[in-house]
């Protein structure tokens, strides 16, 4: 089994960031203190969680660990995946307790996502499809941020609001 050092991964991420406007790194669950060299260089850090109390509490712990590791937590954005309207109470409690706003809620569409994965096809649908619309808005927000056109202190993405 080959292993890659954190230093090598940091250089790889730095190279990708220098070559492209946007570099997305799916790090899974990592120790913020160990990964601080990679995380400190990120313009934005997106934490994705399901809307359960347990998952949202884990997000709060990850933010606290990032802060303790010297990472600027104002760059951390939180995305709720598999959101349903009956999850709003847990999300509101998280926002209130953590004093952090959820960037966006990606609606739960298990059937559509499973079908796309099983067929190896991208998500497709009408312009009225909420899940696809949220993905497009999130992609546009990421692209705008990469160009420096969006400053969250000045402009709030329209998809922050609840459905």
């Amino acid at each position: 089994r080959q292993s890659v050092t954190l230093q090598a991964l940091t250089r790889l991420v730095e190279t990708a960031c220098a070559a492209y406007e946007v570099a997305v790194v799916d790090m899974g669950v990592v120790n913020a203190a160990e990964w601080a060299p990679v995380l400190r260089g990120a313009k934005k850090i997106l934490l994705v969680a399901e809307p359960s109390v347990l998952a949202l509490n884990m997000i709060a712990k990850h933010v606290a660990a990032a802060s303790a590791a010297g990472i600027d937590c104002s760059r951390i954005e939180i995305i709720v995946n598999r959101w349903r309207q009956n999850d709003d109470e847990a999300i509101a409690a998280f926002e209130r307790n953590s004093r952090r706003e959820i960037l966006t809620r990606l609606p739960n569409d298990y059937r559509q996502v499973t079908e796309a994965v099983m067929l190896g096809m991208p998500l497709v649908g009408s312009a009225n499809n909420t899940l696809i619309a949220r993905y497009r808005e999130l992609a546009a927000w990421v692209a705008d941020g990469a160009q420096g056109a969006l400053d969250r202190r000045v402009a709030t993405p329209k998809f922050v609001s609840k459905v």
Side-chain angles (χ1 to χ4, degrees):
R1 176 180 163 170
Q2 293 180 336
S3 64
V4 179
T5 67
L6 185 58
Q7 182 181 13
L9 286 173
T10 302
R11 285 196 316 267
L12 177 65
V13 171
E14 289 169 352
T15 302
C17 290
Y20 299 99
E21 291 178 11
V22 176
V24 177
V25 180
D26 182 349
M27 297 175 64
V29 178
V30 297
N31 179 326
E34 284 181 22
W35 286 82
V38 175
L39 296 172
R40 279 192 201 107
K43 292 177 185 172
K44 286 289 180 189
I45 300 169
L46 304 178
L47 297 180
V48 181
E50 291 186 8
S52 70
V53 173
L54 177 62
L56 292 170
N57 284 339
M58 289 304 298
I59 289 290
K61 289 181 181 190
H62 285 298
V63 171
S67 178
I71 295 161
D72 177 8
C73 292
S74 68
R75 293 179 294 131
I76 296 175
E77 303 291 350
I78 301 166
I79 298 170
V80 172
N81 192 24
R82 298 183 183 156
W83 169 80
R84 294 178 187 217
Q85 285 183 333
N86 62 349
D87 296 321
D88 283 344
E89 189 176 316
I91 292 170
F94 170 80
E95 288 178 320
R96 192 172 44 255
N97 294 336
S98 68
R99 297 186 182 113
R100 296 189 67 88
E101 190 176 75
I102 299 295
L103 177 66
T104 192
R105 296 159 173 81
L106 299 173
N108 189 12
D109 193 335
Y110 180 80
R111 183 196 54 78
Q112 184 180 6
V113 172
T114 300
E115 187 175 290
V117 169
M118 296 300 288
L119 295 175
M121 303 283 291
L123 286 173
V124 293
S126 71
N128 296 333
N129 183 302
T130 308
L131 177 61
I132 293 171
R134 291 286 169 91
Y135 275 123
R136 284 187 182 130
E137 291 167 348
L138 182 58
W141 178 82
V142 168
D144 285 346
Q147 296 172 1
L150 180 65
D151 183 342
R152 183 144 184 189
R153 293 176 298 272
V154 176
T156 301
K158 67 180 181 177
F159 59 98
V160 168
S161 62
K162 298 176 188 171
V163 171

